Every structure is written in structure tokens, then in C-alpha cells.
């Protein structure tokens, strides 16, 4: 699964420092949280006085759904909004992005990188620009891993999925996959995960 960093492009030239509010839904110590902090550190060092990035983890500023609208509707000349939601959040703007949710499409993370680094990726993200969003980068967020809280690990698929609830992102593909395995998909925002 990948996370994507997206931003609304600023219009006009301003003399004062431009502020980017970088919103994400995970904790500081996670890979995405660390990447956001490193991005902020590097931009703040290299663009001192011109651009300043402020990071808002744990849905402090927006959750994944609200940040999409905030990015699309922002028209400030002094402040931009940036986020790193999962790709499933962008399906409503570009259905081809669902390819990343398809189970067993990629053998490993190297296959994912081949697609991300190919010209096809620009075609997959191009529809976002018509909605006021710009794909800046795609970040690794690991491959799908399933777990069940309880007495035993998942060992026998699909038997171990039967009747069990699985937290999923808001993805039609994820829901169909869990149902096909006999499980019960539960769409739940990351901040509400135990």
C-alpha cells in the first residue's frame, strides 16, 4: 500500500513567507510521520524565509476526508495545504488509482516502484489536477498485512477470515477482497483504530 503526498498549487507571487500546513493521520514515530517531519526539516532549512512547513500529525488539523476538501477549496496566497493520505482516498477523482488496492497485482515492492516510476503514473494522477489537486510524490507505506486480535495468528486463508471483522480503508476493492475471503469489512478512520 502506498501513501501519496498531494498539494494544492499556489497562485500568484507573494513577498512574505509561504506556509505549508502538512496534515496526516498517523503518529509522529511512524514511517509516514517521520517522512513528513524530514520533509518539513529539509524545506525549512533550504527555503528559509521563503517557505515554512508545519506538520500536523494524528488528524490534529484534518482527517483524510476533510483534508481532501480543504486542499481543493483553499485559495490562500500565503498558506498551502499538503497531505499524505492513502491512495484509496483519491479514487473518487481517478478510478485508475484503485490498481494499488488490487490483491496480488504486484509480486513485491519493486514491482510497485516500477509502476510509480513509469510514465503511466502521471496518466493515473492527471485527473486529480482537474479537481485542484497535484500529485507531488508517492511514498511507500508497506504491503498489505492482515492480523486478528485474539488467540491465534492468521495461517490458513480463507478459513481464518471466516466471520472475522477487518478494519479497512474506504476502498471498494478492499471491501470486495475481505468479503471474498469470508470476512466482514469495517470501514474505519485510522484515528479510530484501537
Amino acid at each position: 500500500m502506498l501513501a501519496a503526498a498531494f498539494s494544492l498549487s499556489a497562485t500568484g507571487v507573494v513577498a512574505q513567507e509561504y506556509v505549508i500546513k502538512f496534515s496526516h493521520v498517523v503518529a509522529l514515530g511512524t514511517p509516514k510521520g517521520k517522512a513528513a517531519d524530514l520533509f518539513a526539516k529539509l524545506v525549512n532549512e533550504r527555503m528559509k524565509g521563503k517557505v515554512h512547513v508545519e506538520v500536523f500529525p494524528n488528524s490534529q488539523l484534518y482527517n483524510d476526508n476533510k483534508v481532501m476538501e480543504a486542499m481543493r477549496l483553499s485559495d490562500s496566497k500565503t498558506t498551502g495545504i499538503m497531505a499524505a493520505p492513502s491512495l484509496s482516498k483519491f479514487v473518487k477523482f481517478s478510478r485508475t488509482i484503485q490498481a494499488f488496492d488490487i490483491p496480488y497485482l504486484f509480486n513485491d515492492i519493486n514491482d510497485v516502484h516500477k509502476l510509480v516510476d513509469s510514465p503511466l503514473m502521471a496518466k493515473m494522477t492527471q485527473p486529480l489536477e482537474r479537481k485542484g489537486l497535484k500529485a507531488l510524490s508517492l511514498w511507500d507505506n508497506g504491503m498489505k498485512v492482515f492480523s486478528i486480535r485474539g488467540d491465534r495468528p492468521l495461517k490458513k486463508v480463507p478459513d481464518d477470515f471466516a466471520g472475522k471483522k477487518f478494519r479497512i480503508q474506504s476502498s471498494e476493492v478492499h471491501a470486495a477482497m475481505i468479503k471474498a475471503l469470508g470476512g466482514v469489512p469495517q470501514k474505519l478512520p485510522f484515528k479510530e483504530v484501537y
Side-chain angles (χ1 to χ4, degrees), residues 56-171:
F56 296 86
N58 293 316
S59 301
Q60 288 175 353
L61 188 60
Y62 299 106
N63 66 29
D64 276 349
N65 294 322
K66 297 283 185 196
V67 79
M68 300 297 285
E69 288 307 306
M71 286 191 297
R72 292 184 64 229
L73 300 175
S74 175
D75 62 358
S76 173
K77 304 233 186 295
T78 59
T79 304
I81 300 168
M82 186 173 187
S86 67
L87 285 174
S88 63
K89 299 295 180 188
F90 297 96
V91 169
K92 61 185 169 187
F93 306 118
S94 176
R95 294 195 55 82
T96 58
I97 290 177
Q98 288 183 107
F100 289 97
D101 288 345
I102 298 172
Y104 307 109
L105 181 62
F106 304 102
N107 288 323
D108 56 30
I109 200 69
N110 294 321
D111 282 351
V112 176
H113 291 171
K114 286 177 190 172
L115 174 58
V116 168
D117 295 336
S118 76
L120 183 58
M121 196 68 235
K123 290 180 182 177
M124 292 171 76
T125 58
Q126 194 280 328
L128 302 175
E129 294 185 32
R130 290 191 296 267
K131 300 295 184 178
L133 300 167
K134 174 71 177 164
L136 299 178
S137 180
L138 290 133
W139 295 353
D140 288 350
N141 200 26
M143 303 296 273
K144 281 185 188 61
V145 176
F146 293 101
S147 62
I148 296 176
R149 189 178 65 188
D151 58 345
R152 62 187 176 86
L154 288 167
K155 291 186 179 179
K156 192 174 180 185
V157 176
D159 296 351
D160 287 341
F161 279 73
K164 302 275 189 319
K165 292 181 183 178
F166 289 85
R167 180 265 171 185
I168 63 167
Q169 301 172 41
S170 56
S171 165

